[in-house]
Amino acid sequence: MSQKTQLNPRQAEAVAYIDGPLLVLAGAGSGKTSVITQKIAYLIDRCSIPARNIAAVTFTNKAAREMRERVGRLVSDSAGEGLLVSTFHQLGLRVLREERRAFGLKGGFSIFDAQDSQTLIKDILLQEHGAEGDQAASIQHRISQWKNDNVAPEQAVTTATGPADMLCAQAYLRYNRALRAYNALDFDDLILLPVQLFERDPEILEKWQNRLRYLLVDEYQDTNSTQYTLVRQLVGVTGRLTVVGDDDQSIYAWRGAKPENLAQLQEDFPGLKVVKLEQNYRSSGRILGAANQLIANNDHVFEKSLWSEFGPGEQIRVMRCTDEQAEADQVVAEILDHQLRKRTRLGDYAVLYRGNHQSRLLELALQQQQVPYQMSGGQSFFARNEVKDVMAYLRLLINADDDNAFLRIANVPRRKLGPGTLEALGTYANTAGLSLARAAAGVGGDIPEAGRERLRQFVSWLEATRQRCFGGDAIAGVRQMLRDIEYRDWLDNLSSSEEVAERRMGNVEFLVDSLQRVMQQDQVDLDEAIARLVLRDLMEQQEEEKQTGDSVQLMTLHAAKGLEFPHVFMIGVEENLLPHRNSIDDGNIAEERRLAYVGITRARQTLTMSYAAKRRQFGETIDCEPSRFIDELPTEDLLFQGGEAEDQAVAQARANETLSGLKELLN
């Protein structure tokens, strides 16, 4: 958003209103972050509410970090001390850590990420049904939906309809039981468990209500059922709440978001005040007019219409291309042409698409023209499965009490330590107050002798490996560890091809080489080298979020939310792509329209949409139709390019301008 020194009247109204619950209906590019950060400063400076009694909650670490930095520029360090600016999950984790005894959790409980959860579900399916868990991903998604809707495993079992739903519900029951035995939680538990605790313990809820005297929530349209309940519990009947949201930008229904939560506020808080932020500080008039006319086709509880003071700007171009290859080539040519004519930076351009698979031809076309580009949302090196496996082994070598690491590698590669054995081990460890690895060394409890022996062999081998790594050549010890577990063979069995296995083993070797390099360069031991590598990766991820460099930006429409660019290309604006075929079949066009709206409102100065007349799909060439969303845009603001609709005079004028730019460059 452009820099502004003062708030506009609607923004100022939102900042100053503290007499009751407030919904700030913030259109795209309308300065919502300024409203939240200025309101925090207002609450501290003008309302004398201590910062430690204020919480601002959002959805991403990046958004929370930016909010914290901006508040830091508005209030002094001493005045801002104790302010809580966090994601929903960080807030839930804070409650869990402080109230862990009420949850029956030991200190140092583990938090499973999506991969950890999926592995556990696969193991449960293998044990219960004797088949590989090829349904693990879909079952994990269903369990996540239940947790987001505050549905307990027992309730899921009693209300299951049909065999498939019953399979998911039974897996949910076993999965939750295993998590408790492992002293572990998953990401959904970070919200669900505090909600359940507050429901059953009014005293603990009152304590947190007194601590958080004012609550601000960003991106409220993205909340799911349990997040909404958590907010309502913390606010209570006082209504000391400001939520900021835009129902037109709700694009995460697939992960449980409910835009109707905005409307629900009016029922739960009858005195709700609504302030609309409709002045846009980002886009030209034609771009906003197109966005307004498109989204008007959706039903609305709250009506709004974006406007700006930037003038009409250029027409929106719609390019018809013969096929997907021509589309990729044309988009790259258009970027280079525009950059030449307007003397812009490559970082001013973004190409947005509905699905990741659409980027492949685009990447090749950019590489062919030697145009630097950056894809958002790429997988971090340390997020790769093979790297996480080896890092878990290394973490367990330096910390025998790391239960999460133990659980990850207990069966990687497989050691016939099934979920039943591990669950029994977890129950014994909880009772004895021991970590899993220490409990396995002298295991008791309800575990068959064969399982006990395998556990003892495993921890005995771990201890021998630990002594080898810390009593001699650490890197040689790590390489021997990989040979002992036959990790290369494990990758060969898991991978879809020899090349994939080779690449994954290459990542492991790169990790070991990196450890050696850190130890030699920084003169540190293995444990410190491991800690530094993890920290370096986290810092690099943060820097990637902040610095994109002078390169064309490629990303999905989902990933583009919250960002803005001077020049935007939306590719594949076709039926069955945008809107997506699944959404058409499910009758969920409204969310696809919101997704297109998000794409349009990322553009500040120019917007180009493209579609292919033909496209290869599953080895066949199919005819494509332009998206219905193009028909919903104001025709007078569109400029068609390619095919019969192109204005030849306009094309000639563009060619002349390009030629003039070339001559100027050569001169």
Side-chain angles (χ1 to χ4, degrees):
M1 194 187 76
S2 303
Q3 290 295 317
K4 310 191 313 300
T5 55
Q6 293 191 344
L7 300 173
N8 67 38
R10 295 284 76 76
Q11 291 173 325
E13 180 185 6
V15 166
Y17 183 79
I18 59 164
D19 296 333
L22 171 67
L23 165 61
V24 182
L25 202 66
S30 61
K32 66 181 179 67
T33 307
S34 291
V35 167
I36 294 174
T37 53
Q38 293 274 8
K39 185 150 194 172
I40 293 171
Y42 183 87
L43 291 168
I44 295 170
D45 295 337
R46 300 287 294 277
C47 304
S48 301
I49 298 178
R52 65 180 179 276
N53 296 133
I54 300 171
V57 186
T58 187
F59 278 84
T60 67
N61 290 319
K62 181 182 178 184
R65 188 166 58 246
E66 180 189 353
M67 203 179 292
R68 205 176 293 115
E69 290 170 354
R70 288 174 69 163
V71 172
R73 294 194 288 270
L74 295 173
V75 300
S76 66
D77 289 345
S78 57
E81 189 174 348
L83 173 70
L84 176 61
V85 180
S86 74
T87 65
F88 269 102
H89 291 96
Q90 288 166 343
L91 174 60
L93 182 57
R94 179 172 288 212
V95 174
L96 282 163
R97 280 183 173 148
E98 192 163 322
E99 312 294 347
R100 65 178 175 79
R101 287 184 178 83
F103 296 106
L105 289 167
K106 292 187 300 180
F109 54 82
S110 300
I111 300 172
F112 275 30
D113 65 14
Q115 289 179 347
D116 297 328
S117 296
Q118 204 170 117
T119 299
L120 175 55
I121 292 168
K122 276 184 180 177
D123 288 342
I124 289 170
L125 292 175
L126 186 66
Q127 183 188 47
E128 304 266 322
H129 303 285
E132 284 297 335
D134 56 348
Q135 299 181 70
S138 59
I139 291 175
Q140 180 191 19
H141 181 68
R142 187 74 180 97
I143 291 172
S144 181
Q145 286 179 322
W146 274 319
K147 289 193 175 190
N148 288 338
D149 290 334
N150 197 0
V151 175
E154 296 77 12
Q155 187 181 351
V157 170
T158 57
T159 58
T161 55
D165 212 32
M166 180 57 77
L167 174 67
C168 291
Q170 294 285 2
Y172 180 18
L173 198 66
R174 284 283 287 105
Y175 168 75
N176 247 31
R177 204 170 73 202
L179 284 179
R180 297 299 166 264
Y182 297 166
N183 194 43
L185 310 168
D186 63 22
F187 259 51
D188 295 318
D189 288 331
L190 298 183
I191 311 295
L192 176 61
L193 293 184
V195 164
Q196 292 176 339
L197 175 65
F198 291 155
E199 283 175 348
R200 69 174 185 263
D201 197 322
E203 286 188 14
I204 292 179
L205 173 59
E206 186 179 3
K207 180 180 82 172
W208 282 90
Q209 287 175 337
N210 291 334
R211 181 180 302 182
L212 303 179
R213 288 172 48 195
Y214 204 95
L215 187 63
L216 304 98
V217 186
D218 191 16
E219 304 285 10
Y220 206 69
Q221 76 282 348
D222 292 338
T223 53
N224 59 37
S225 295
T226 51
Q227 288 163 339
Y228 181 91
T229 303
L230 181 63
V231 169
R232 200 178 66 230
Q233 288 173 328
L234 290 172
V235 173
V237 295
T238 63
R240 293 171 298 199
L241 171 71
T242 292
V243 306
V244 182
D246 180 6
D247 49 352
D248 291 333
Q249 294 189 74
S250 180
I251 57 175
Y252 296 116
W254 49 276
R255 67 182 190 202
K258 296 194 171 179
E260 56 267 31
N261 284 348
L262 288 172
Q264 184 67 34
L265 281 168
Q266 288 185 312
E267 294 186 27
D268 291 339
F269 300 99
L272 181 75
K273 181 180 177 66
V274 179
V275 174
K276 298 179 184 180
L277 304 185
E278 297 173 295
Q279 182 174 358
N280 175 283
Y281 293 91
R282 174 188 299 162
S283 305
S284 66
R286 280 195 172 103
I287 290 170
L288 294 180
N292 287 335
Q293 186 161 315
L294 174 73
I295 207 64
N297 290 279
N298 277 3
D299 294 331
H300 286 86
V301 176
F302 305 101
E303 298 290 343
K304 69 177 183 306
S305 183
L306 297 178
W307 61 275
S308 79
E309 296 177 340
F310 293 148
E314 294 186 26
Q315 286 180 292
I316 296 167
R317 286 192 300 141
V318 180
M319 295 194 311
R320 177 189 182 278
C321 306
T322 54
D323 57 27
E324 68 266 43
Q325 183 64 63
E327 181 183 45
D329 293 339
Q330 183 68 23
V331 166
V332 173
E334 293 282 341
I335 290 172
L336 292 173
D337 169 60
H338 192 270
Q339 189 200 21
L340 173 65
R341 290 186 288 113
K342 302 297 184 183
R343 300 287 192 270
T344 54
R345 297 171 58 255
L346 288 172
D348 292 341
Y349 300 88
V351 186
L352 312 181
Y353 35 81
R354 179 65 176 82
N356 275 309
H357 67 278
Q358 293 172 260
S359 70
R360 295 169 191 158
L361 288 173
L362 203 57
E363 287 188 81
L364 291 173
L366 288 162
Q367 290 167 8
Q368 193 170 359
Q369 298 297 330
Q370 297 183 316
V371 178
Y373 65 91
Q374 176 173 326
M375 289 187 67
S376 292
Q379 190 181 38
S380 157
F381 176 73
F382 278 74
R384 300 175 194 276
N385 264 330
E386 61 273 16
V387 176
K388 288 181 73 174
D389 287 345
V390 177
M391 284 300 296
Y393 272 100
L394 296 173
R395 281 163 42 206
L396 200 57
L397 290 181
I398 64 175
N399 176 15
D401 295 327
D402 191 331
D403 283 353
N404 207 11
F406 182 94
L407 288 170
R408 181 173 185 91
I409 53 91
N411 266 317
V412 177
R414 292 208 181 279
R415 297 185 177 84
K416 297 183 180 178
L417 296 173
T421 299
L422 293 174
E423 189 177 321
L425 174 66
T427 302
Y428 169 67
N430 279 335
T431 304
L434 299 170
S435 69
L436 292 171
R438 295 187 192 281
V443 71
D446 188 21
I447 301 176
E449 184 54 40
R452 294 187 192 196
E453 183 56 31
R454 289 191 202 101
L455 285 168
R456 281 194 284 264
Q457 288 176 1
F458 178 43
V459 294
S460 174
W461 170 80
L462 273 174
E463 183 55 37
T465 302
R466 185 177 291 115
Q467 291 178 8
R468 190 185 304 125
C469 288
F470 292 99
D473 185 335
I475 297 301
V478 171
R479 294 191 193 281
Q480 182 60 48
M481 176 190 77
L482 294 171
R483 286 192 292 271
D484 287 349
I485 62 175
E486 299 177 338
Y487 194 72
R488 175 57 201 260
D489 293 341
W490 169 251
L491 290 180
D492 284 338
N493 292 331
L494 278 185
S495 302
S496 57
S497 69
E498 191 175 331
E499 292 76 14
V500 171
E502 193 72 42
R503 186 167 66 248
R504 295 180 69 184
M505 194 63 201
N507 288 332
V508 172
E509 288 164 356
F510 180 80
L511 172 65
V512 177
D513 290 343
S514 298
L515 277 173
Q516 187 171 23
R517 190 162 53 250
V518 170
M519 291 175 68
Q520 290 173 348
Q521 289 178 353
D522 298 349
Q523 294 294 297
V524 294
D525 293 331
L526 180 64
D527 54 351
E528 180 64 18
I530 293 168
R532 291 191 185 191
L533 273 187
V534 174
L535 181 61
R536 184 177 301 171
D537 178 67
L538 293 173
M539 292 174 67
E540 282 173 1
Q541 286 181 54
Q542 291 181 8
E543 289 307 308
E544 284 169 10
E545 288 180 336
K546 293 179 184 178
Q547 300 174 353
T548 56
D550 190 22
S551 54
V552 176
Q553 303 301 300
L554 310 182
M555 65 190 72
T556 63
L557 288 160
H558 284 99
K561 187 169 176 291
L563 304 176
E564 60 181 76
F565 307 92
H567 311 289
V568 168
F569 290 78
M570 288 173 60
I571 67 172
V573 187
E574 303 157 22
E575 290 292 297
N576 296 320
L577 267 180
L578 183 67
H580 194 276
R581 174 180 292 176
N582 292 344
S583 297
I584 296 173
D585 293 342
D586 295 342
N588 191 16
I589 299 298
E591 174 134 344
E592 293 291 299
R593 189 175 285 113
R594 292 194 291 267
L595 197 54
Y597 174 87
V598 165
I600 291 170
T601 53
R602 299 313 93 195
R604 284 160 48 188
Q605 298 170 25
T606 70
L607 172 64
T608 302
M609 295 178 167
S610 65
Y611 65 92
K614 295 182 183 296
R615 192 176 289 273
R616 284 189 65 76
Q617 190 174 51
F618 307 120
E620 295 181 21
T621 299
I622 59 169
D623 293 327
C624 304
E625 291 181 39
S627 170
R628 69 189 73 187
F629 299 149
I630 294 176
D631 292 334
E632 295 176 359
L633 303 178
T635 308
E636 65 276 12
D637 289 334
L638 304 183
L639 180 65
F640 290 92
Q641 181 180 334
E644 298 174 4
E646 181 172 7
D647 187 323
Q648 295 302 319
V650 171
Q652 186 59 50
R654 283 172 50 77
N656 290 340
E657 190 177 357
T658 301
L659 187 60
S660 173
L662 270 170
K663 288 178 179 176
E664 185 181 334
L665 188 66
L666 291 171
N667 289 335

